[in-house]
């Protein structure tokens, strides 16, 4: 018996004897003189349960590699919107990604005083302050869309702006990220520059912290000179 064909309208067309015969096929025993509506309800309920069991048996686990999407299914390279987002990777680094609308790109191309584009990284004492404590710029190219930025240690909040720089007039903020609260690090790490006499505990000395600070300075010296 194909359970998927059992419907209330179909069962109601059958005689009571046929309903009882059908119930026997499902292994259901009904007492004599039982109400037809009750028999039909029980048949529909059992048929539904059997149908669910059949659907579960049809589920197959496939260990093959997932199919590779066609190039046409890839995400677009741009959403034609000028925006910028900043994500804290760890207390020392922030990841910045942005997009620029076609209209802004064309406008900058035709602006004779336009010089370059940069990420302006600003630090704030409090989230609701109007003016930053300090800022520095990271130059980016016209085709760039993402950048890791090494942060100045010992700050409270950071914000990154996408800025167009001009000759002879003020810079233009094209997009502004939200302010991100920075986790507080050890004062030893914040002030641990090469050449300074660091008082390290024996446990910290064994951890290799001194060598790590020296390596950090050698590879990212520009961040210490801001």
């Amino acid at each position: 018996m194909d359970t998927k064909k059992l419907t209330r309208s179909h069962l109601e067309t059958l005689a009571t004897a046929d309903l009882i015969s059908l119930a026997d096929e499902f292994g259901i025993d009904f007492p004599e003189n039982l109400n037809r509506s009750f028999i039909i309800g029980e048949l529909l309920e059992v048929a539904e349960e059997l149908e669910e069991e059949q659907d579960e048996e049809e589920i197959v686990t496939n260990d093959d590699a997932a199919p590779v999407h066609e190039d046409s299914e890839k995400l677009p390279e741009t959403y034609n919107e000028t925006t910028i987002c900043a994500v804290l990777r760890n207390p020392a680094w922030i990841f910045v990604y942005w997009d620029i609308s076609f209209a802004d790109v064309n406008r900058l191309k035709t602006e004779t005083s336009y010089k370059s584009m940069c990420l302006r990284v600003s630090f704030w004492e409090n989230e609701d302050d109007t003016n930053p404590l300090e800022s520095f710029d990271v130059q980016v190219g016209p085709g760039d869309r993402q950048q890791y930025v090494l942060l100045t240690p010992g700050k409270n909040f950071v914000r990154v702006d996408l800025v167009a720089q001009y000759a002879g007039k003020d810079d233009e903020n094209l997009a502004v990220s939200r302010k991100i609260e920075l986790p507080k690090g050890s004062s030893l790490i914040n002030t641990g520059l090469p050449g300074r006499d660091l008082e390290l505990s024996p446990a910290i000395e064994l951890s290799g912290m001194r060598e790590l600070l020296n390596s950090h300075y050698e590879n990212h010296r520009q961040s210490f000179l801001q």
Side-chain angles (χ1 to χ4, degrees), residues 8-9 26 28 48 65 70-71 81 87 92-93 96 122 134 142 160 167 170 172 175 183 186 196 204 209-210 225:
R8 180 175 295 275
S9 58
F26 286 109
I28 306 174
E48 183 179 355
E70 300 294 334
D71 291 342
E81 181 181 359
V87 180
W93 289 91
V96 186
S122 302
E134 60 182 80
V160 185
D170 294 339
E172 176 188 4
S186 168
R196 292 186 178 179
I204 297 297
M209 177 61 72
R210 191 183 300 275
L225 302 177

Side-chain angles (χ1 to χ4, degrees), residues 41-209:
E42 287 295 311
L43 285 171
L44 290 174
E45 183 176 342
V46 172
E48 183 179 355
E49 292 177 356
L50 292 175
E51 182 179 341
E52 291 176 354
E53 291 177 1
Q54 291 174 359
D55 291 341
E56 291 177 359
E57 291 176 356
E58 293 175 358
I59 298 176
V60 179
T61 302
N62 191 347
D63 295 330
D64 296 337
V68 178
H69 295 294
E70 300 294 334
D71 291 342
S72 60
E73 297 178 350
K74 291 182 179 179
L75 293 175
E77 295 182 359
T78 177
Y79 288 94
N80 194 24
E81 181 181 359
T82 301
T83 184
I84 186 171
C85 295
V87 180
L88 192 66
R89 179 187 179 190
N90 54 44
W93 289 91
I94 194 168
F95 178 68
V96 186
Y97 59 98
W98 62 94
D99 196 7
I100 308 175
S101 68
F102 300 140
D104 282 335
V105 170
N106 293 331
R107 178 173 60 85
L108 294 175
K109 286 181 178 179
T110 58
E111 177 61 61
T112 57
S113 60
Y114 170 71
K115 294 193 307 179
S116 60
M117 190 173 300
C118 73
L119 301 178
R120 181 154 296 156
V121 184
S122 302
F123 299 97
W124 312 73
E125 181 70 22
N126 303 295
E127 186 175 11
D128 55 354
D129 287 350
T130 303
N131 298 317
L133 293 174
E134 60 182 80
S135 302
F136 66 86
D137 293 345
V138 178
Q139 296 298 319
V140 295
D144 295 338
R145 291 296 180 269
Q146 60 185 30
Q147 177 73 42
Y148 276 104
V149 178
L150 183 63
L151 300 173
T152 303
K155 305 302 181 183
N156 293 339
F157 291 88
V158 63
R159 192 187 81 187
V160 185
D161 304 346
L162 182 64
V163 178
Q165 297 174 304
Y166 300 93
K169 68 175 186 177
D170 294 339
D171 297 341
E172 176 188 4
N173 277 20
L174 300 175
V176 177
S177 78
R178 65 182 181 88
K179 288 180 182 176
I180 299 176
E181 184 174 7
L182 300 175
K184 301 299 184 294
S186 168
S187 58
L188 171 65
I189 298 177
N190 293 341
T191 59
L193 302 181
R196 292 186 178 179
D197 185 16
L198 301 179
E199 296 182 2
L200 302 179
S201 67
I204 297 297
E205 194 73 61
L206 288 173
S207 72
M209 177 61 72

